[in-house]
Amino acid sequence: MITTEQHEKLRGWFAGRLPDDLFEEVAELTVDREEITVIGRIPEPRLAEDASAAERAAALKARIEEFRERTREARIEVAREAEHRFRRKVSWGVECGGERAMFTHIAAPVMTRLRQPERQVLDTLIAGGVARSRSDALAWCVRLVQRHTDDWLTELRESLEQVQRVRAQGPDAEPEDAAPDDE
C-alpha cells in the first residue's frame, strides 16, 4: 500500500521517463508490494466504417501484437530502471479500441491457512468447473469480492492512507528526502 502522494510521484516518474510516442496516455498505473502495472492507451487501427466485428477484432489483435513487438526494447529499458529505483517488478499492458491486453504480469504466491469449511468452498468451485485448482478458486473468490466491494475497499484504502500519514509524522519518521520512492 502506498500513499496517494507516492502514487502521484510514481505516475509522474513514468510520465517523464516513458518515450513520448510510446502511448497516447498512461491509462492506468497500479502498484502493490511486488509489482507496478503500467497500462497505456494505443491508437486504434483505421478501418472502414462497415468493417465486420471479426475484421475489427482481428485488427485490434494485430495492432496490439505489433505494438508489443515494436516497443519491447524501450519497455524493457524503462522497466529495468523502475525495478531498480522502486524495488518492484514492472508489468505492461495496453488498451486499444476498448480491448485490454496484458503483456507481462507476475503471479505472486500468497501463503494462507484455511479451515475445512473454507477449503470446501474452494473444492466446490473446482468440482463445478469454475476453477482448476485451489489457487485458481481462491483467485476467483478474490475477484468476486473485488467486483462487489469496490466502495468498501476504496474507503479502507483511504483510511490506510490516513494511518500512514499519521505514522509519517511520528518521531521515528525518516526525513522526506530519504523516502524509498525518491531514490
Side-chain angles (χ1 to χ4, degrees):
M1 179 79 196
I2 65 172
T3 65
T4 300
E5 182 180 355
Q6 290 169 327
H7 190 270
E8 289 169 355
K9 286 180 180 180
L10 186 70
R11 190 172 176 88
W13 185 88
F14 274 94
R17 178 57 187 87
L18 291 173
D20 287 336
D21 61 346
L22 189 65
F23 299 125
E24 289 183 325
E25 69 176 312
V26 173
E28 185 178 314
L29 190 125
T30 309
V31 183
D32 68 11
R33 291 179 185 170
E34 293 84 18
E35 180 178 26
I36 300 168
T37 303
V38 180
I39 299 175
R41 189 163 290 116
I42 62 173
E44 293 181 46
R46 288 183 224 149
L47 296 170
E49 287 186 33
D50 61 344
S52 68
E55 183 178 352
R56 183 177 189 283
L60 288 175
K61 183 177 178 182
R63 171 62 52 94
I64 291 168
E65 289 172 3
E66 182 277 333
F67 175 86
R68 182 179 188 183
E69 294 305 317
R70 177 175 45 84
T71 64
R72 183 181 311 273
E73 292 304 317
R75 289 183 293 106
I76 288 172
E77 184 178 330
V78 172
R80 282 188 184 133
E81 289 179 36
E83 288 169 6
H84 177 74
R85 182 180 184 96
F86 302 111
R87 295 185 183 97
R88 291 173 171 92
K89 291 291 184 186
V90 176
S91 299
W92 299 95
V94 294
E95 284 184 1
C96 182
E99 297 293 320
R100 180 175 281 204
M102 292 299 300
F103 300 155
T104 56
H105 52 279
I106 63 171
V110 179
M111 183 61 83
T112 185
R113 295 184 185 274
L114 300 176
R115 292 186 170 82
Q116 189 177 36
E118 296 154 336
R119 293 190 313 266
Q120 288 175 330
V121 169
L122 301 180
D123 292 341
T124 300
L125 292 171
I126 294 166
V130 172
R132 296 174 302 189
S133 65
R134 284 182 172 173
S135 176
D136 284 346
L138 188 56
W140 184 88
C141 291
V142 169
R143 287 190 306 273
L144 181 65
V145 169
Q146 182 183 22
R147 182 177 301 136
H148 293 289
T149 60
D150 280 340
D151 294 338
W152 180 79
L153 289 176
T154 298
E155 187 176 331
L156 181 61
R157 285 184 188 108
E158 289 169 357
S159 297
L160 288 171
E161 285 183 19
Q162 180 60 29
V163 168
Q164 288 179 347
R165 281 192 292 273
V166 171
R167 282 184 185 155
Q169 297 170 4
D172 296 332
E174 293 181 14
E176 189 166 318
D177 61 344
D181 63 321
D182 288 340
E183 295 176 348

